Each structure stands twice: as C-alpha cells, then as structure tokens.
Amino acid sequence: MNFQFVEKRLIVGLSMLAMAVVLNSCGSKNSGGSKTLSSKKGSSGKGILGIGKANKEVPGVQNGEIVATTRKGWSQPTPFGMVLVPSGSYMMGQADEEVSHAGVNFNKRVTVAAFYMDDTEITNHEYRQFTYALLKDSVSVLGEDKIMSEYYPDTTVWKRDFTYHNGDPMTEYYFSSPAFDQYPVVGVSWVASKYFCLWRSKLMNDYRRKQGQFILPRFELPSESEWEWAARGGRASAKYPWGNPYISNAKGCLLANFKPHRGNYDADGYSYTAPANAYDPNDFGLYNMAGNVAEWCEDAYADNAVAVTWDLNTVNKDSDEPRKVTRGGSWKDIAYYLETGTRAYELEQNKRSYIGFRCMMRYLGRPKQN
C-alpha cells in the first residue's frame, strides 16, 4: 500500500472538511447566504466586547453596533400650577402708537421657545413654604439673620414705600394672616426670587430622583421676551393681555387691578393687591399679567436692549448691572404700566410692596400641535 498517497488524500480530505465547517459557520441557517449584523440583533446575547447581556450592561450597543433608541419612561409633565406657553414669533416692544411712547421700547421681532409658566403670581402661602423650609433646614448653613433679612418678605414696605400712609394693618397682617394666603407675595427682592426658584427646583428633583424618575429643567424667572410673549396670550400686537384698546369691558368693569380714574384705587374692586387668580386669564390661561403686582424678570435692564440682544430666546444677563427688569405694572400704577410692551426696572436688592414674581420652566423639545 502506498502510505504516502493515503496520507496526502487524508490531508486533503481534512482540509476540505475544515473549510466546509468554516463556510457553514459564516452562513445563515435559513438562506445559506451571508448574514448581516442587523438581521439577528441581540441573537448572541452578548454586548460589546462580549461583556454581559447587551440590553442590561450596554443598553445602546449590540454586537458592536449602536442601536440606541429613545429611553423609556420619559415625558415632561406639566408642573402643578403651571400652563404651557407655546413657542412663537412676535414683534416685541411697544404696541401703543403714541409718539411719546415710541422711544421707550423699540420694536423687534423675536422668537421664543415653548415653556411652562405659573398661571398666577407666587402667593403668600406658596412663598411661606419656602421660608418654613429655610428656617427648618438651612439655619446652620445660611444663618437665621441672613434668612430673615434677605429671603423673608419685608413687611415694612407697606409703610416705607409711601409718604404719610397708614400701612400698619398691611404690615402686620399681609404675610401672616390666612386672609391673604392667596394674594401675591410682595416685599421680595430679585435675589430672593431667584433663590426661591433654586429651592423649588431642588425640592422637585430630589423627589423625582428618589422615585427613579428623570429630572426636569430648573424653575427660573422668565426672560423679558418670554414674559412679554406670555402676557400677549397669542395676540401678536396686543396692547393689553386681553387685547386692545380699553381697560374696561362693555359693561364698564375694569379688567385689572391698577390705579384708575386719577387715584380711585377701589374702582377695580381692590384697594391694594387682589387675589392672584382675580379677573379673567388671558388666552394662554395666565392671570394678572397686567396689574396687581409688577413681576421680576431674569434680565438686567438696558436702555439699548433691543440693539444688544439676539432675536432668538432673547435675554440680557449682566451680573454687573444691579437694575433688573420688572414687567406688568401693579395695583399702584396707572394704565400705561399695564401695557404688554412697557418696560420698568428696580434694583435687584430692593423690596417693594408692589413687586412680586412668577416662575417658568423650559419645555424640552417641541410640544405637539393641536
């Protein structure tokens, strides 16, 4: 027998068998053809580098490819007491045609992304939760003197803001009595309102983390452009939140809390502030965007803000400028300050009996259109 010939045949046969095994391992069981990674996603049960199960260890990678899709469980809920203000573009600035007003706030087209906003000004009872929390949990960090002097409402503003005015009853009862629980908080500085937003954000997101939920954007003061867009309620060139051009309805009822008729403060139903949900809301569902109390905005005040700010999500953040924008007018102001385009300011550390605030939260993405 020719053993050399047999050995050669055996080697050739084994080589062909090995090749067949290799070809079979590369083929598809169903088609006999080549197999792509996408045809059997996750079939190996191994993730990148073969470490663990792909869906648990490396959620967005399988078989060495990125297969990430939307993470489950995310939806942005509407925060309690807030309404959604849709995105939009409008002519920011004075809506009045009077020559004397034309140079106060020049017009400029701006675009604003969607956001949530408190439907009312922050009330005494809402702000009281903040002061309770600080006095309970933060005395060791901030000190009681700092809490009381900087973050607690200054009730003496009812006496100090006006000459020869008997503000004693308001000083004593406005923040402490349950009779005023649903009235807007006043005597709060821009700095304090910012700290309230920070505390409110931490309170919400600490809870969400404990529940295993995604965190939400921070509560903030609205920018000047966001505030004006919200005040207009979707009415592109509205002089007032309810439209044009009058401050009373067809029955003669005044539509906001301000100083009408040369100082007949009681004509609108309230001598001082009104409940935060008094009067009718605008078309976005926001109450008292004109009158009651003026509201702090995020922006530093600048006479030339139209020229120096961008036209998309406009905001002027300048920590060196102590003047901060207030909008909307108040119970002690004439109708001019109630106009959607009227600008005013106050020093960031000052506290007044006619300035409060409300919060906003950014909407992530774009809400569905109805």
Side-chain angles (χ1 to χ4, degrees), residues 34-310:
S34 62
K35 174 183 173 183
T36 63
L37 288 171
S38 60
S39 64
K40 290 283 185 178
K41 287 185 178 179
S43 62
S44 67
K46 296 288 185 179
I48 190 169
L49 303 180
I51 301 175
K53 292 185 178 180
N55 288 337
K56 292 184 178 180
E57 300 296 330
V58 189
V61 175
Q62 291 183 7
N63 297 331
E65 283 200 308
I66 298 174
V67 295
T69 57
T70 302
R71 285 179 285 177
K72 305 300 182 184
W74 166 254
S75 63
Q76 187 163 353
T78 301
F80 180 80
M82 285 189 159
V83 297
L84 179 63
V85 177
S87 60
S89 180
Y90 72 107
M91 289 299 294
M92 183 179 178
Q94 206 70 42
D96 202 302
E97 296 182 356
E98 293 184 28
V99 175
S100 60
H101 294 169
V104 176
N105 191 4
F106 294 102
N107 295 103
K108 174 182 180 178
R109 177 163 289 281
V110 300
T111 301
V112 177
F115 58 94
Y116 293 106
M117 184 177 245
D118 284 321
D119 60 357
T120 71
E121 298 125 343
I122 296 298
T123 65
N124 282 318
H125 201 43
E126 288 171 328
Y127 197 83
R128 193 175 293 115
Q129 312 313 307
F130 168 59
T131 58
Y132 281 166
L134 292 187
L135 290 170
K136 178 182 178 182
D137 302 325
S138 302
V139 172
S140 61
V141 178
L142 299 174
E144 186 173 352
D145 290 343
K146 183 180 178 69
I147 293 173
M148 297 302 295
S149 63
E150 292 193 21
Y151 304 130
Y152 202 85
D154 183 357
T155 58
T156 65
V157 293
W158 293 104
K159 296 178 63 175
R160 292 189 292 102
D161 281 349
F162 311 105
T163 305
Y164 298 109
H165 166 253
N166 181 21
D168 288 350
M170 298 295 282
T171 296
E172 185 174 356
Y173 298 113
Y174 187 73
F175 187 66
S176 62
S177 173
F180 293 105
D181 276 354
Q182 298 307 310
Y183 284 63
V185 68
V186 297
V188 174
S189 69
W190 181 86
V191 173
S193 65
K194 292 275 290 180
Y195 202 73
F196 174 90
C197 292
L198 181 65
W199 169 80
R200 186 179 179 186
S201 302
K202 188 177 185 304
L203 180 70
M204 173 188 67
N205 282 323
D206 281 353
Y207 173 81
R208 291 184 64 84
R209 287 189 187 95
K210 291 177 182 178
Q211 298 300 313
Q213 301 171 339
F214 294 108
I215 65 171
L216 296 178
R218 296 181 301 276
F219 293 103
E220 301 178 65
L221 294 180
S223 69
E224 188 175 7
S225 60
E226 289 167 339
W227 191 97
E228 186 173 326
W229 170 243
R232 291 175 185 266
R235 300 172 183 260
S237 58
K239 181 177 179 179
Y240 299 109
W242 50 84
N244 295 325
Y246 306 112
I247 56 176
S248 59
N249 60 21
K251 296 180 179 180
C253 299
L254 294 170
L255 298 172
N257 180 22
F258 66 112
K259 180 183 178 179
H261 311 316
R262 294 182 179 272
N264 184 359
Y265 291 94
D266 201 51
D268 53 41
Y270 302 91
S271 298
Y272 294 99
T273 57
N277 61 350
Y279 307 98
D280 292 330
N282 70 2
D283 290 347
F284 285 159
L286 300 167
Y287 293 85
N288 288 304
M289 294 299 286
N292 210 23
V293 293
E295 299 175 14
W296 290 113
C297 292
E298 178 68 31
D299 300 59
Y301 182 84
D303 292 320
N304 63 340
V306 169
V308 300
T309 55
W310 202 31

